[in-house]
Amino acid sequence: LVDVNHDGTITQEELAKVMTAANVNASREDVAALFAQLDQNRDGQISLGEFVAGMKRLNKAVLMTGRLNAATQQQKQQQQAD
């Protein structure tokens, strides 16, 4: 799905295409920044291992953000109840 040319890696162009296909409104700079974070060994390609590791990091960040937002919301509700 992401590896358009089926060579086992993801290029920055392929990442941009899949983001566009997923209706993600990302600038070239956004794509480049995401690519740089995923391309851990800086070889200009994202391997399957790099992609999976990056998605795990992203998932953890999203989960932590959700937990922080929930805790903040609970704290605000508690303050309003007091």
Side-chain angles (χ1 to χ4, degrees), residues 3-4 7 14 16 22-23 26-27 35 38 43-44 49 57 63 65 69 72 75:
D3 180 14
V4 177
D7 68 352
E14 289 172 322
N23 293 321
S27 68
F35 189 87
L38 294 174
D43 67 352
R57 287 191 309 273
L63 288 173
T65 300
N69 288 341
T72 301
Q75 186 178 25

Side-chain angles (χ1 to χ4, degrees), residues 4-72:
V4 177
N5 66 3
H6 307 289
D7 68 352
T9 62
I10 302 167
T11 64
Q12 191 166 332
E13 289 177 20
E14 289 172 322
L15 182 62
K17 285 180 183 178
V18 78
M19 290 177 75
T20 300
N23 293 321
V24 175
N25 186 16
S27 68
R28 288 182 182 175
E29 292 80 14
D30 293 335
V31 173
L34 177 59
F35 189 87
Q37 287 198 0
L38 294 174
D39 184 17
Q40 293 293 298
N41 66 2
R42 306 290 183 242
D43 67 352
Q45 302 173 350
I46 301 169
S47 68
L48 176 61
E50 288 171 324
F51 184 79
V52 170
M55 292 303 105
K56 285 181 181 179
R57 287 191 309 273
L58 178 61
N59 189 40
K60 285 181 184 178
V62 168
L63 288 173
M64 289 302 295
T65 300
R67 289 179 184 147
L68 287 172
N69 288 341
T72 301

